[in-house]
Each structure stands twice: as structure tokens, then as C-alpha cells.
């Protein structure tokens, strides 16, 4: 890495200089010198994006206002349900405590 080498361009067949990084381009045709490695890196990046997009109700910049509002609303509903669960848990705990006090 970091060493400039001569490499035969996989696109145009000309000998060009390659410094070992994934985004080095051919001096003649401007093609990526390591297309396989480059596409693998891009694939990794895209996969990461897909995982992010699969994240529950992820809001994308391309979303319309309505879609955004809907997602925000559903996100809010999700939080409300979470709070209800917590409140319910606390409520049950209090009842259990009260029962134990009454029974004592
Ligand atoms: Zn080339």
C-alpha cells in the first residue's frame, strides 16, 4: 500500500499508475483500476445503508412530508405503547405491594 505501481488497466488495456487505493483511476480511460475490489466496497456500503433503512421506521430524506408525518406518528405510537407497558408494570407492582400490605 502507498507504493505506486504500474498496472495494466482492465478497461482499456493501457499501462497506468496504481497507488494501491480502491478509488484509483486509469490515466487513460478514467476507469477504476480495481473494479472488483471497488464494487465490493460499494456493496458493503450499500448493505450498511440497507440495514439502516430496515431499521424500524427510518426516515429517509426522499420521503414525502406525508410519509414523514406518518412515520413520526407511528414512532410516537410505538413510544406510547412502551410507556403504557412501563406504567402497567408500575401499576401491577403497586397493586402487589398493596395486596401484601393488606394481607399483612
Ligand atoms: Zn484504462
Amino acid at each position: 500500500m502507498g507504493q505506486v505501481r504500474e498496472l495494466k488497466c482492465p478497461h482499456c488495456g493501457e499501462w497506468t499508475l496504481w497507488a494501491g487505493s480502491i478509488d484509483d483511476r486509469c490515466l487513460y480511460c478514467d476507469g477504476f483500476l480495481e473494479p472488483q475490489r471497488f464494487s465490493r466496497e460499494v456493496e458493503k456500503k450499500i448493505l450498511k445503508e440497507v440495514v439502516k433503512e430496515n431499521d424500524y421506521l427510518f426516515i429517509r430524506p426522499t420521503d414525502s412530508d406525508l410519509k414523514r408525518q406518518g412515520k413520526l406518528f407511528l414512532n410516537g405510537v410505538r413510544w406510547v405503547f412502551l410507556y403504557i407497558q412501563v406504567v402497567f408494570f408500575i401499576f401491577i407492582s403497586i397493586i402487589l405491594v398493596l395486596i401484601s400490605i393488606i394481607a399483612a
Side-chain angles (χ1 to χ4, degrees), residues 24-90:
D24 272 351
R25 287 163 187 263
C26 172
L27 295 172
Y28 301 94
C29 69
D30 210 34
F32 287 107
L33 291 176
E34 255 199 320
Q36 282 180 326
R37 200 166 138 204
F38 184 77
S39 60
R40 233 180 294 147
E41 293 292 323
V42 170
E43 212 177 282
K44 253 191 257 170
K45 251 181 229 174
I46 290 171
L47 271 176
K48 236 188 253 174
E49 289 298 313
V50 166
V51 168
K52 228 199 276 176
E53 295 213 358
N54 279 344
D55 191 28
Y56 195 63
L57 298 173
F58 178 74
I59 294 168
R60 272 158 289 187
T62 51
D63 280 350
S64 65
D65 271 357
L66 191 72
K67 218 169 167 186
R68 228 177 263 226
Q69 295 282 317
K71 281 184 180 178
L72 282 173
F73 173 71
L74 286 175
N75 250 324
V77 168
R78 187 168 59 128
W79 279 107
V80 166
F81 271 109
L82 204 85
Y83 281 127
I84 286 172
Q85 278 178 2
V86 170
V87 167
F88 185 72
F89 178 75
I90 292 169

